[in-house]
Amino acid sequence: MSGDTYLAYDYPLLSAFWTMLVFFLWIMWFVLLFRVVVDVLRDDHLSGWAKAGWLVFCVLLPFLGVFVYVIARGKDMGRRETSQAREQQKAFDSYIRETAKGSGGSSSSVDELARLSEIRARGDITDEEFAKAKQMVLSGSGR
């Protein structure tokens, strides 16, 4: 064997640990960089020039730019992300309501009873609640 051949025992466990740590930190750095860029572009309160300035700062001096952005605007990053998630949830809920209203007239009481029994089987409603809902469906006042 030549001296340039590396075997598994030539790469100690501590070196493997440090390699994995550096790789992990490198991945986390890119995640943070992309989150900052997305947050800059998502922010409606920043003007176009301010967005361009932050992006240039993060591209030319990435470590300093990202760290300054996180320190200066980090608290609002979470708020913007939370408000966007709430808006998406509201839009999804309204879509579900509109879709349910559109198909509500065409579903039969058999379909509604089947859905009720599935909900009861999952344990989301009690037997008493199931009986009340079943009575409402059968009497026709559930629609």
Side-chain angles (χ1 to χ4, degrees), residues 47-59:
S47 67
W49 287 106
K51 289 180 184 184
W54 276 113
L55 290 176
V56 166
F57 190 34
C58 288
V59 168

Side-chain angles (χ1 to χ4, degrees), residues 29 32-33 36 55-69:
W29 164 250
L32 181 62
L33 178 66
V36 165
L55 290 176
V56 166
F57 190 34
C58 288
V59 168
L60 293 181
L61 298 169
F63 289 108
L64 184 62
V66 167
F67 292 136
V68 168
Y69 187 85

Side-chain angles (χ1 to χ4, degrees), residues 5-132:
T5 305
Y6 292 103
L7 300 175
Y9 57 83
D10 291 332
Y11 198 64
L13 185 62
L14 187 60
S15 294
F17 170 75
W18 284 115
T19 301
M20 289 189 316
L21 181 66
V22 168
F23 184 71
F24 174 75
L25 292 175
W26 184 70
I27 296 291
M28 288 305 298
W29 164 250
F30 279 109
V31 168
L32 181 62
L33 178 66
F34 289 133
R35 287 201 54 178
V36 165
V37 169
V38 167
D39 188 66
V40 167
L41 297 176
R42 178 188 302 158
D43 191 4
D44 293 333
H45 299 292
L46 285 178
S47 67
W49 287 106
K51 289 180 184 184
W54 276 113
L55 290 176
V56 166
F57 190 34
C58 288
V59 168
L60 293 181
L61 298 169
F63 289 108
L64 184 62
V66 167
F67 292 136
V68 168
Y69 187 85
V70 168
I71 290 169
R73 301 177 52 88
K75 185 182 285 186
D76 293 333
M77 281 177 68
R79 290 183 184 145
R80 279 187 292 277
E81 189 171 339
T82 303
S83 68
Q84 183 190 20
R86 284 187 185 133
E87 290 172 9
Q88 286 178 343
Q89 185 65 38
K90 286 179 186 176
F92 178 73
D93 291 344
S94 68
Y95 171 75
I96 293 296
R97 273 190 226 99
E98 292 300 318
T99 304
K101 284 181 186 177
S103 66
S106 65
S107 67
S108 68
S109 59
V110 174
D111 293 334
E112 291 180 30
L113 288 174
R115 276 185 266 157
L116 277 173
S117 66
E118 288 175 12
I119 292 171
R120 182 181 64 170
R122 284 193 313 246
D124 293 340
I125 60 174
T126 63
D127 289 337
E128 182 179 301
E129 292 170 330
F130 173 76
K132 288 179 184 177

